[in-house]
Amino acid sequence: MIALSFSLIAMMESVGNQAVLPAAFFYGAAAGPVALLLAIHDRTAIGVSVPSITLAGMFLFGGGVALLIGGYFDSVLIPDKNGPSILRVGWIEEPAKLVPPLAVALTGRHLTKAAGVALGLSCATGFAIMESMSYAWKSLHADDGVVGAGTVLFLRGLTTPFSHLAWTGLVCAVVFGVWQARGRVTVTPSVVAALAGAAVLHSLNDGLLVLDIPRAARLLFLVVAAVSYWLFHRATRDLNRKVIPDLAPSRA
């Protein structure tokens, strides 16, 4: 998908066919998240725990709803994207990405841990792809050109699987694990701690990338990414291909 994205960009540069830009941006933004989704499903088979129509709806509309909520409060509460207020981003976007899976959970359906992780990852994937495409368009209109936009997509394609997907997957693994044990949606210290932990990792990641700090310190975002994925992997290590599918009918 990355190769196809760059091929479309190269073709556009050579012949000037800008009609392919949306496709180039989509393939570039989706490459990393989709690859991680496939790898996780291959390990856990969580994709069969929720009806496919529900997962598709969570990807298409859940991700959009999360982006709508997160984008609104980002604009209101983070006036300077390059200043200290960026440290609020995790406390805005992580709850926003939890809203669509929570809406499904409140119906009483799909309260298993496997289903929750599948729903959360689908929502986070939709959110991450659309956010990456928006950054690419912003880069394009900031005189960085198509090549600059392609670079943004390439870098975000490599990093978003270990950021947005890992954070939301971690939260949903803990939260739905609690809800599965209790048989209902409830707020516990574990639920609050998981959401707060993901928010801290998210804010730390963005702060390291945009704040005015030494370049060497920026490399610590790789440590944040590694820790994020490690925590997600530990939270989901009990999920395996023997998980009993939760295939109750969906209202999606």
Side-chain angles (χ1 to χ4, degrees), residues 119-249:
L119 292 169
L121 290 177
S122 296
C123 179
T125 298
F127 180 97
I129 290 173
M130 288 182 280
E131 186 181 59
S132 293
M133 292 179 69
S134 71
Y135 277 109
W137 282 110
K138 183 178 179 181
S139 177
L140 179 67
H141 294 293
D143 297 327
D144 292 335
V146 178
V147 175
T151 302
V152 169
L153 290 170
F154 176 72
L155 293 176
R156 287 187 61 85
L158 292 177
T159 58
T160 50
F162 307 101
S163 54
H164 279 300
L165 271 68
W167 299 324
T168 304
L170 168 63
V171 171
C172 287
V174 175
V175 167
F176 277 81
V178 171
W179 295 346
Q180 177 180 341
R182 300 203 173 198
R184 59 187 175 87
V185 174
T186 183
V187 178
T188 68
S190 297
V191 169
V192 175
L195 189 57
V200 168
L201 289 169
H202 189 158
S203 293
L204 184 58
N205 176 85
D206 286 29
L208 288 169
L209 290 174
V210 305
L211 291 178
D212 185 16
I213 59 176
R215 287 191 176 185
R218 293 185 187 279
L219 294 177
L220 289 174
F221 91 91
L222 295 173
V223 176
V224 175
V227 170
S228 299
Y229 185 75
W230 177 75
L231 289 172
F232 164 73
H233 193 275
R234 280 186 59 86
T236 58
R237 61 184 177 177
D238 59 324
L239 300 178
N240 54 60
R241 300 191 66 86
K242 296 181 180 179
V243 171
I244 299 175
D246 172 21
L247 294 176

